[in-house]
Amino acid sequence: MIGNEIQKRLFNNEDAVDKLIFIGNNKFRVIGVFASKGSSAGFGGDKFCIIPVLKAKQLVASSNPSFTITIQVSGPGALDATIGEATSLFRNIRDLNVANDDNFEIERSDSFQQELSGQLAGITWGGASIGIITLIGAAIGLMNIMLVSVTERTREIGLRKALGATPGIIRKQFLIEAIVICMIGGIAGIILGMAVGNLIAVSISGSFVAPWLWLFAAIVLCTVIGLVSGFYSAKKASNLDPVEALRYE
């Protein structure tokens, strides 16, 4: 039995049944061709040959060869139960008692996915760490911008207070400005991130994804960063003496 890719390469996609092929120095007759399964993550799913186990034992020079048995379950829900049944069966075949460890290995079909999930978790933590450092730097930068803004608008603040603006109104004005600056940067980052991420997803035949929970969290985070960064400058502006502010040059 040969894979579909073997038939394409050796027989130019013609019917390979009842034809002869060489595997090493041994001649075999093809009795069937598997339907194409495609490839995944660089692993060709159609590049294989299956020969009888007795013939394989004759070809293998080792006195203690290793074997791989592939089992297909009826559905994802039966995977764990099938693994438990296979483990019990192999332990009985190998005469292992309760005190003995397994001297065989069972690989799940989703083991590669689990391995990737573990790697993605590390990448996620790394990205989160970089994001936190970036947020701290952005918060410090925004605080400096707002302090400079208060210094440059000292006369304006004094004039507003002279016309009746309360410290609460001045504080609210600068807090809103800080939040708006943060929101502009946050929205630009959201648009850029979604555009790049979904462009990559569509290019690999994926679907468009809109992570609404993370989008909402990003907006809330931008609001909090704006409040924290603008609080000191807003408080400083609200505490300015209107007479001294009007005299400021």
Side-chain angles (χ1 to χ4, degrees):
M1 301 286 292
I2 62 174
N4 189 265
E5 184 71 17
I6 304 297
Q7 176 180 250
K8 290 181 179 179
R9 290 181 176 271
L10 297 183
F11 303 101
N12 295 323
N13 213 20
E14 296 179 359
D15 187 12
V17 176
D18 208 34
K19 295 183 179 179
L20 299 177
I21 64 172
F22 280 91
I23 301 179
N25 295 325
N26 299 275
K27 184 185 295 184
F28 293 88
R29 184 180 300 275
V30 179
I31 62 172
V33 180
F34 285 90
S36 178
K37 295 188 298 183
S39 59
S40 176
F43 300 100
D46 301 319
K47 302 175 182 179
F48 62 90
C49 299
I50 296 179
I51 62 176
V53 64
L54 295 178
K55 184 63 176 177
K57 287 182 177 180
Q58 296 174 6
L59 297 179
V60 176
S62 174
S63 59
N64 188 24
S66 61
F67 294 92
T68 301
I69 300 176
T70 303
I71 301 173
Q72 181 177 358
V73 298
S74 58
L79 182 59
D80 292 331
T82 305
I83 290 175
E85 183 179 354
T87 302
S88 175
L89 181 61
F90 270 100
R91 289 184 65 87
N92 290 333
I93 291 174
R94 300 199 172 195
D95 294 326
L96 300 176
N97 56 40
V98 178
N100 298 130
D101 294 330
D102 294 341
N103 55 6
F104 56 88
E105 182 179 1
I106 295 180
E107 294 184 356
R108 300 166 57 107
S109 59
D110 58 351
S111 59
F112 185 65
Q113 178 183 355
Q114 292 176 348
E115 183 180 349
L116 283 179
S117 298
Q119 294 177 356
L120 287 175
I123 295 173
T124 301
W125 280 109
S129 301
I130 295 173
I132 291 173
I133 295 173
T134 304
L135 281 176
I136 294 174
I140 295 173
L142 179 59
M143 185 182 298
N144 290 330
I145 291 173
M146 295 307 299
L147 287 173
V148 171
S149 177
V150 170
T151 302
E152 291 181 347
R153 297 162 63 185
T154 300
R155 288 178 60 84
E156 175 192 333
I157 296 170
L159 181 60
R160 293 196 63 194
K161 281 194 169 186
L163 294 175
T166 63
I169 294 176
I170 300 296
R171 186 165 50 248
K172 185 184 298 183
Q173 174 190 347
F174 280 90
L175 284 176
I176 292 174
E177 289 180 5
I179 292 173
V180 169
I181 293 173
C182 265
M183 291 295 292
I184 292 174
I187 292 173
I190 289 172
I191 294 175
L192 181 61
M194 287 190 61
V196 174
N198 284 289
L199 182 63
I200 296 174
V202 171
S203 65
I204 59 176
S205 301
S207 58
F208 184 87
V209 177
W212 298 110
L213 178 61
W214 289 106
L215 294 180
F216 179 75
I219 293 174
V220 172
L221 183 61
C222 288
T223 304
V224 172
I225 294 296
L227 285 172
V228 172
S229 301
F231 178 78
Y232 177 73
S233 57
K235 184 179 180 180
K236 180 180 178 182
S238 65
N239 291 335
L240 288 176
D241 183 87
V243 176
E244 296 297 328
L246 284 171
R247 292 175 177 175
Y248 182 80
E249 293 293 340

